[in-house]
């Protein structure tokens, strides 16, 4: 199965310009709030009409501006899980699940099957207002799956959940999606959700698709500064090539050795906070003398903030580390040097 999308749509002060091919893989669209993720799904579903382009699902043309093709939503065979689930408040769970089932003869069998699959057996006669957020999500999924869509689209599926429920619901959804026979498309601003659920990723920034590819490969080597930031890289400096395997990090005022060849297009260098290391001696390469700026404490890991003693004041260096009982930093012993392992350095356009 494959979903091909190449569309443009102008809004006031904003242009959506998206192109990707799922190639039969579960695709995640990652981007900040307001970048056009939901609008992309609405165009695929037929709720919004692009100004130009094509949308093709399994060789079936859903939209083609040149050929004047624009199938209505009910003929696209696309399942769309809205952020608020869009359940009918005056209908029971059974009625909500069965609303999209056209085959009257086996409608009850399909509803019963979906209710069992989504662990809703005891809730058939309840109304949405009598359900928890997680139960509402499962009802919405059951309604979509009963429709037997060729592609399932999930729009920020956990945005309405509190943090206490999210982990459990992610596990439930992960198991449900493993049973789903089609492919799915998920949009989120949460990089951990995309990393967990999707083996292919497309990064959207201000309405434009800036990079697509294997999820793990892009997280490890984002290649451009926008992708690095969206995937969570906090430490980025302007850069200038010195040699094939050396680059100057201008904002940190240091020349770094790299394991990847530096090409002429590299303008920035980065390293993720989890990959920064505390130097126990001064014999390591890529050593940076630092001043301590502050500590941002979390329940299980902390972010320690440094700045290079020779670098620009505006460019902090973030170091993430898991809490331990014998932690030197929280005991007031502040390191004076950190270093960047050459294999962890990210070269960016």
């Amino acid at each position: 199965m494959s979903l091909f999308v190449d569309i443009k749509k102008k809004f006031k002060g904003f242009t959506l310009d998206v192109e990707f091919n799922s190639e039969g893989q579960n695709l995640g669209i990652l981007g900040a709030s307001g970048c056009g993720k939901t609008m992309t799904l609405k165009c695929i579903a037929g709720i919004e009409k692009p100004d130009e382009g094509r949308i093709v699902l399994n060789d079936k043309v859903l939209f083609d501006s040149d050929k004047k093709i624009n199938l209505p939503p009910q003929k696209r065979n696309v399942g769309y899980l809205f952020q608020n689930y869009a359940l009918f408040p005056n209908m029971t769970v059974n009625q909500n699940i069965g609303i999209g089932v056209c085959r009257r003869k086996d409608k009850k069998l399909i509803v019963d099957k979906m209710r069992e699959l989504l662990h809703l057996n005891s809730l058939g006669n309840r109304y949405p207002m009598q359900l928890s957020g997680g139960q509402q999500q499962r009802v919405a999924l059951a309604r979509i799956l009963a429709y037997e869509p060729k592609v399932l689209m999930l729009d920020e599926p956990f945005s309405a959940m509190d943090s206490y429920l999210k982990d459990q619901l992610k596990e439930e959804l992960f198991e449900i999606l493993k049973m789903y026979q089609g492919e799915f498309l998920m949009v989120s601003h949460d990089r951990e959700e995309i990393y967990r659920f999707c083996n292919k990723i497309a990064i959207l920034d201000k309405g434009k698709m800036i990079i697509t590819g294997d999820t793990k490969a892009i997280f490890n080597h984002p290649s451009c500064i926008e992708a690095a930031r969206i995937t969570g890289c906090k430490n980025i400096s302007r850069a200038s090539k010195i040699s094939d395997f050396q680059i100057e990090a201008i904002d940190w005022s240091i020349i770094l050795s790299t394991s990847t060849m530096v090409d002429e297009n590299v303008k920035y260098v980065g390293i993720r906070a989890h990959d920064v290391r505390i130097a126990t001696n001064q014999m390591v390469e890529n050593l940076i003398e630092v001043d301590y700026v502050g500590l941002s404490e979390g329940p299980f890991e902390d972010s320690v903030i440094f700045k290079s003693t020779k670098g620009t004041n505006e460019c902090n260096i973030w170091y993430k580390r898991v809490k331990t009982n014998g932690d030197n930093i929280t005991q007031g012993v502040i390191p004076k040097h950190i270093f960047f392992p050459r294999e962890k350095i990210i070269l960016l356009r």
Side-chain angles (χ1 to χ4, degrees):
M1 295 186 182
S2 180
L3 174 66
F4 171 77
V5 177
D6 182 6
I7 55 173
K8 293 182 181 179
K9 185 174 178 64
K10 289 185 178 180
F11 300 92
K12 186 177 180 181
F14 179 82
T15 299
L16 184 69
D17 185 356
V18 172
E19 180 179 358
F20 64 83
N21 189 339
S22 70
E23 298 175 327
Q25 296 180 292
N26 296 322
L27 176 70
I29 300 179
L30 178 65
S33 298
C35 72
K37 303 186 302 295
T38 294
M39 190 56 62
T40 300
L41 294 192
K42 288 183 176 180
C43 287
I44 296 169
I47 299 169
E48 292 282 347
K49 181 183 176 183
D51 296 331
E52 59 181 283
R54 294 184 85 229
I55 302 172
V56 183
L57 176 61
N58 298 339
D59 299 322
K60 179 180 180 180
V61 179
L62 308 184
F63 174 81
D64 190 315
S65 56
D66 291 338
K67 296 180 180 179
K68 310 299 182 185
I69 297 173
N70 185 28
L71 297 186
Q74 60 270 25
K75 291 188 177 181
R76 296 195 176 202
N77 205 6
V78 169
Y80 188 176
L81 181 65
F82 293 87
Q83 288 186 32
N84 62 357
Y85 313 135
L87 298 176
F88 296 101
N90 60 335
M91 291 185 179
T92 64
V93 167
N94 286 336
Q95 291 168 333
N96 266 288
I97 295 173
I99 192 69
V101 181
C102 299
R103 305 190 302 276
R104 292 187 179 182
K105 186 176 180 180
D106 56 357
K107 183 172 184 175
K108 184 178 185 303
L109 290 175
I110 294 173
V111 171
D112 290 346
K113 178 183 176 182
M114 289 299 109
R115 208 175 58 242
E116 182 177 359
L117 179 68
L118 276 298
H119 309 295
L120 297 164
N121 271 333
S122 62
L123 306 176
N125 294 317
R126 292 193 187 180
Y127 291 88
M129 65 177 297
Q130 298 173 307
L131 305 176
S132 68
Q135 290 168 339
Q136 289 180 25
Q137 184 186 72
R138 280 183 280 155
V139 173
L141 272 170
R143 180 177 63 186
I144 293 169
L145 296 176
Y147 174 64
E148 297 180 344
K150 295 298 183 186
V151 63
L152 175 61
M153 302 194 302
L154 310 172
D155 189 357
E156 300 275 7
F158 306 106
S159 63
M161 304 293 172
D162 60 50
S163 58
Y164 178 77
L165 292 173
K166 274 187 180 181
D167 288 341
Q168 179 183 346
L169 292 171
K170 285 178 183 179
E171 282 300 316
E172 290 180 2
L173 181 59
F174 191 73
E175 293 303 313
I176 292 165
L177 292 176
K178 284 199 294 188
M179 295 182 282
Y180 175 59
Q181 296 300 309
E183 66 180 69
F184 65 85
L185 174 62
M186 175 187 286
V187 305
S188 179
H189 65 274
D190 188 321
R191 52 187 175 269
E192 292 183 7
E193 291 175 9
I194 296 294
Y195 192 90
R196 169 79 190 281
F197 284 91
C198 306
N199 46 30
K200 186 173 183 179
I201 188 175
I203 294 181
L204 195 60
D205 184 45
K206 299 175 184 177
K208 298 187 184 302
M209 202 68 73
I210 58 174
I211 191 171
T212 61
D214 178 82
T215 300
K216 291 183 179 179
I218 287 178
F219 269 79
N220 290 332
H221 304 284
S223 77
C224 66
I225 186 172
E226 295 88 353
R229 285 173 174 160
I230 291 172
T231 56
C233 184
K234 288 181 175 291
N235 301 318
I236 298 175
S237 167
R238 294 171 298 159
S240 176
K241 178 178 177 178
I242 301 297
S243 65
D244 285 347
F245 293 94
Q246 283 192 317
I247 191 167
E248 181 186 6
I250 297 169
D251 295 315
W252 300 324
S253 190
I254 184 176
I255 294 176
L256 299 171
S257 298
T258 68
S259 60
T260 304
M261 182 175 287
V262 183
D263 65 39
E264 301 299 331
N265 295 321
V266 173
K267 302 299 180 186
Y268 299 90
V269 62
I271 185 168
R272 296 191 184 278
H274 288 97
D275 293 328
V276 174
R277 299 288 183 262
I278 299 298
T280 55
N281 63 71
Q282 297 184 33
M283 301 300 292
V284 294
E285 65 179 355
N286 298 341
L287 186 75
I288 305 178
E289 184 180 358
V290 292
D291 289 326
Y292 173 75
V293 174
L295 176 71
S296 177
E297 289 197 67
F300 306 111
E301 68 173 13
D302 296 331
S303 295
V304 187
I305 308 167
F306 300 106
K307 67 177 179 180
S308 170
T309 56
K310 299 177 182 178
T312 60
N313 289 331
E314 300 81 18
C315 195
N316 290 329
I317 300 172
W318 293 70
Y319 160 63
K320 286 257 189 187
R321 54 109 177 101
V322 177
K323 283 180 179 290
T324 59
N325 290 330
D327 185 277
N328 288 334
I329 294 176
T330 55
Q331 293 174 6
V333 181
I334 307 301
K336 290 300 295 179
H337 295 88
I338 59 175
F339 71 96
F340 300 160
R342 64 162 63 196
E343 68 275 8
K344 299 298 184 180
I345 291 172
I346 305 171
L347 303 177
L348 303 167
R349 302 190 304 272

